[in-house]
Amino acid sequence: MSTATVSTLKGARLPKWSPYAIAGGSVGLAIAIGLGAGLDSHVQWGLIAAILFVVGTYGIAARVEGKRQAKDRIATSLVWVAFLLAVVPLVSLVWVTVVRGIKVLDVYFLTHSMGVVADTEPGGGIYHAIIGSLEQVGLATLIAAPVGVLTAIYLVEYGRGRLSKAITFFVDVMTGIPSIVAGLFILSLMLQFDMQPFGFAGSLALAILMMPVVVRSTEEMLKLVPNELREASLALGVPKWRTILKVVLPTSIGGITTGIMLAVARIAGETAPVLLLVFGNPFINTNPFEGAQSSLPLYIYQQYANSAGSGAAYDRAWAASLTLIAFVMILNLVARGIARWKAPKTGR
C-alpha cells in the first residue's frame, strides 16, 4: 500500500499541542471580551473562556479532522472544563484559608486556650478546641466503627429476608440525615434525664452520623472479596465465622480502614450537634463525661459569631479553619497510606 493511500486512510490530524493553543487563545479572547464589556468578575471571564474553548475545539476539529473526530474532542474538552470548574473553587478555598489563617497560626496559638481572653481581644488559642475535637471524634469512632463494621458483615455474609432489607433501608435513610436531627435526638434524651451539656453527648450524635458511612463503605469492600476465597476456606472445613475473621476481613482491611478514616473526616467538621450538646467552653476541659467542651468547628463558629467586627477574632477563625483542613487532610493521607499498605499483593 502506498504512502499516499495510508495518509488518505488516516486523514488529517490536529497536532498534540493544539488543545493548549486553543485553550490559550480562548483565555486571551475571554479577557478581551471581559475588558471590552466591562465585566469585573474573573468568574465570568473563566466561564466565557470555557465556552470559547469547547466551541473552538469543535469548530477547528470539525474543519480539520471531520465531524466524527470533532465529537470525540468536544467530549474530552467538556471533561476538562468540568474538572477545572470543580478544582478552581477548591484551590481558591484552600488558598484563601492559608493566606488568612497563617497570620496567627503559631506554636502559641496551638498550645493555649482562650481562657480569660475576650473574643474581641487579640491573643488566645485553640488548644482547648483541639482537645475537645480529638476526644469527641475519637469516642464517636470507638462507638461507630465496630457497630458499622459488624452491621456490614451481617448484611453481606448473613443477611437474608426482611430484617436485612429493613437494615439496608434505615442505613440509606441515615446516610442523608441532617446533622441537626442527630443532635436534637441526643438532646431530647438529655432533657429526659435532666443532663447538662458534656463532650460525650456530642460524640453520640457524631457516632449516629458516622455509622451509616462506615456501614456502606465496609459493605462495598466486603462485596469486592472474591467468593472463591470464601468457598476455598469453607471447603477445608473452616467455620464461617473463622473464614470471615481470617480470610474476608484481612483481604478487605485496607478498604475498610480507608472508609472509617473518611467517615472520621466527615464528622470532624460538624458544628450543629456540638453546638447543641457540648455548648462550648473557653477553658481546657479534658474530661468528656463532665462539663461543657469546645471543638474546632464550634470554635470557628463562635469566633465569627461573637467577633463584633474584631479583626483578631476573624484571624483566629481563619487559623482554626486552616488547622481543621490540615487535620482532615492528614486523615485522608493516613487512609491512603493504610490502603496501599494493606492492599492485596499482586504478582509473585
Side-chain angles (χ1 to χ4, degrees):
M1 186 178 293
S2 65
T3 305
T5 306
V6 174
S7 177
T8 304
L9 289 175
K10 287 185 177 180
R13 299 281 296 178
L14 290 172
K16 292 183 179 180
W17 49 263
S18 60
Y20 304 101
I22 297 173
S26 300
V27 172
L29 187 56
I31 293 174
I33 293 174
L35 293 175
L39 301 176
D40 297 329
S41 175
H42 291 175
V43 176
Q44 294 174 324
W45 294 7
L47 293 176
I48 294 173
I51 295 173
L52 291 175
F53 175 69
V54 174
V55 174
T57 299
Y58 178 79
I60 296 174
R63 186 176 182 83
V64 177
E65 300 176 332
K67 291 185 177 181
R68 183 174 183 179
Q69 187 64 25
K71 292 179 181 178
D72 179 73
R73 286 192 176 273
I74 196 173
T76 304
S77 63
L78 287 173
V79 170
W80 276 104
V81 168
F83 168 73
L84 291 176
L85 289 177
V87 168
V88 168
L90 295 177
V91 173
S92 176
L93 174 64
V94 174
W95 174 255
V96 171
T97 305
V98 171
V99 170
R100 297 195 177 187
I102 205 68
K103 294 179 180 179
V104 296
L105 185 60
D106 52 20
V107 176
Y108 178 88
F109 183 73
L110 296 174
T111 56
H112 287 75
S113 66
M114 289 302 292
V116 294
V117 178
D119 290 334
T120 55
E121 297 177 354
I126 58 171
Y127 182 68
H128 62 300
I130 293 176
I131 291 178
S133 285
L134 291 177
E135 291 183 346
Q136 293 158 29
V137 173
L139 289 172
T141 304
L142 290 177
I143 297 170
V147 175
V149 171
L150 292 175
T151 302
I153 291 174
Y154 169 77
L155 291 175
V156 175
E157 305 293 340
Y158 297 97
R160 300 293 184 272
R162 295 182 178 179
L163 179 60
S164 175
K165 293 180 180 179
I167 294 175
T168 302
F169 172 77
F170 283 112
V171 168
D172 291 338
V173 172
M174 289 178 64
T175 303
I177 189 174
S179 59
I180 190 68
V181 175
L184 288 173
F185 173 71
I186 301 299
L187 180 62
S188 65
L189 297 179
M190 292 174 59
L191 294 176
Q192 290 290 331
F193 295 98
D194 195 22
M195 302 174 69
Q196 298 298 318
F198 61 109
F200 185 65
S203 299
L204 293 176
L206 296 178
I208 294 175
L209 298 173
M210 184 178 175
M211 267 187 280
V213 180
V214 176
V215 172
R216 272 285 164 250
S217 61
T218 304
E219 190 177 358
E220 295 302 321
M221 291 301 104
L222 294 177
K223 289 179 179 178
L224 293 177
V225 178
N227 284 327
E228 289 78 4
L229 295 178
R230 298 180 176 89
E231 293 168 356
S233 178
L234 295 174
L236 295 174
V238 180
K240 189 169 185 176
W241 69 269
R242 196 170 182 83
T243 298
I244 296 171
L245 190 62
K246 296 295 185 179
V247 177
V248 177
L249 287 179
T251 304
S252 58
I253 190 64
I256 293 174
T257 306
T258 302
I260 293 174
M261 289 291 184
L262 294 178
V264 171
R266 182 250 189 271
I267 65 171
E270 291 293 344
T271 307
V274 181
L275 180 62
L276 283 175
L277 306 171
V278 182
F279 208 66
N281 188 352
F283 296 94
I284 299 172
N285 179 15
T286 58
N287 184 4
F289 299 99
E290 183 179 358
Q293 274 190 321
S294 185
S295 72
L296 284 174
L298 180 59
Y299 178 88
I300 296 168
Y301 168 76
Q302 289 178 333
Q303 288 299 304
Y304 176 79
N306 302 328
S307 62
S310 171
Y314 282 133
D315 291 340
R316 286 193 295 263
W318 281 108
S321 301
L322 180 58
T323 305
L324 184 59
I325 290 177
F327 175 67
V328 174
M329 188 177 296
I330 290 172
L331 285 179
N332 280 274
L333 292 176
V334 170
R336 289 179 179 273
I338 294 175
R340 288 192 177 187
W341 176 43
K342 291 294 184 178
K345 303 296 185 293
T346 57
R348 294 183 178 181

